[in-house]
Amino acid sequence: MRQRVKRREGTVVAAKMAKTVVVQVDRLVEHPLYAKRIKQRNRFMAHDERGECREGDRVLIIESRPLSRHKRWRVSRVLKQAAQ
């Protein structure tokens, strides 16, 4: 049985490398004891084959095979472009 592909929606925070962007994914998690909602963030390196992403863009990334030492995600599509 094949597993479902993981998808994350996040904001591009760095686009200085060739064909690679850093995507920050923010999420709210409820504290198990105090029930306060806490903001957590993860940063993923994602492969951007066409080089179309810029800082501030909202993108959808999907999990893939390991592409390099740190890259395990690919940019699926740009959901919203950053205001220039």
Side-chain angles (χ1 to χ4, degrees):
M1 187 167 127
R2 290 185 64 168
Q3 293 186 350
R4 297 178 59 85
V5 177
K6 292 181 185 176
R7 301 170 193 275
R8 301 285 185 265
E9 187 178 318
T11 306
V12 176
V13 292
K16 295 180 169 102
M17 297 168 274
K19 296 188 178 184
T20 304
V21 293
V22 180
V23 179
Q24 181 170 299
V25 177
D26 295 321
R27 61 195 180 102
L28 288 174
V29 177
E30 191 169 294
H31 190 280
L33 179 62
Y34 301 115
K36 179 178 179 174
R37 293 167 64 85
I38 304 166
K39 188 187 289 187
Q40 288 186 346
R41 58 184 53 139
N42 293 89
R43 289 164 61 107
F44 300 102
M45 282 192 175
H47 185 67
D48 180 20
E49 182 65 40
R50 294 186 290 272
E52 61 189 7
C53 295
R54 302 283 173 255
E55 287 186 30
D57 286 356
R58 194 86 180 140
V59 295
L60 180 71
I61 58 175
I62 58 173
E63 192 177 37
S64 69
R65 65 180 177 82
L67 299 167
S68 70
R69 181 178 166 194
H70 295 292
K71 281 200 292 188
R72 270 76 175 139
W73 297 83
R74 285 179 310 174
V75 174
S76 175
R77 65 177 194 253
V78 177
L79 301 174
K80 183 180 175 188
Q81 294 209 335
Q84 303 257 338

